[in-house]
Amino acid sequence: MSWVTSLARPEIVQLKSYEHATWEIGLERLHANELPWRAAADESSAGLNRYPEPQPRELIAGLAELYGVPPACLLAGRGSDEMIDILIRVFCRSGQDDVAICPPTFGMYAVSARIQGAGIVSVPLLPERGFALDEPAVLDACGPRVKLVFLCSPNNPTGNVLDENAVLRIASRLQERALLVLDEAYIEFSSRQSFARHLGRFPNLVVLRTLSKAHGLAGARCGALLANAEIVALLRKVIPPYAIPQLTTEAALRQLQPAQLTAMRNKIDVVCSERTRLAQALGDLKGVQRVWDSDANFLLVAFDDATRALRASRDAGLLIRDVRAQPGLGNALRISIGTPEQNSRLIEALR
Ligand SMILES: *Cc1c(COP(=O)(O)O)cnc(C)c1O
């Protein structure tokens, strides 16, 4: 057993996965208790009367090409949220193991840890250094109970990217001790390259990607986990056999066509130029204390009176996110970049 596998819960290593009905195209299916006819309103290409293909080959191949990894190094599921949950269930024993997180950050790491009964070790980012990683503190915090370290770059809700060398040094120091999970939900909005290119050098590195943000498919629920094939094989034992609905696969495959990817890049350009415009306009407003630099499709903005800003935007029909409860965020709100018209309306409302 390699050291990566030995980090997982022994029950999972020994688990024999559910044997779903075999997937053999070309043969007629009388082995899965499906109805042989489509529902009258079913407009899918494969027919929703059939169970979907587990880890659909064409989808896995398309995502693997998009993210630049071999298909055996990719697991697809219902968004990166499902990947976070499965990682914790596979690697953390309830009441015995911990995950490390660096707040302020995405809330699902802690929620999924609590659901599993895993402990949470918090190592705050450094607000005075633009929410940079506290590298020595992260390493100090990673005792023998910590199995997973969740980092997010660009980070939600602060918008900054983490220092690449610091992340790689942490991955290196965690060899044989823990997995480093890097959540890249917003990387398409930054100028950074994905950490996926380092997977070959770090057997304990896991990268999370999603079609929810830049690809505009949040409602389809499709995300991917990239890691060495041994980790993917372990997680595959735990993901439900029919994790990816047929309609999701069909929507994702359409999105992976070259013309759609070009359209996506054009929209990212609009988001990035609107991000600059909105940041400048908000920075010029009287009640705004600070607009942080962002590499994502949102801005973190501190107000003199955040309650009033929330009310003003709501009166203009616009919801923005209250993140004041998170450590280190004081009077800050998180604003997603909208259409040019929505952004202008928001600026007017806050003025
Ligand atoms: C939105 C978001 C996700 C969730 O992505 P899904 O693929 O929709 O589950 C994951 N991580 C971060 C940091 C996010 O902001």
Side-chain angles (χ1 to χ4, degrees), residues 91-145:
F91 286 94
C92 295
R93 293 165 299 176
S94 175
Q96 296 184 58
D97 296 322
D98 297 342
V99 308
I101 60 171
C102 297
T105 193
F106 186 50
M108 282 307 289
Y109 315 135
V111 169
S112 294
R114 288 198 182 97
I115 291 170
Q116 171 67 2
I120 298 163
V121 175
S122 280
V123 186
L125 297 171
L126 302 168
E128 66 283 5
R129 286 177 40 206
F131 295 105
L133 272 176
D134 188 344
E135 187 183 342
V138 172
L139 292 172
D140 273 355
C142 289
R145 288 171 62 108

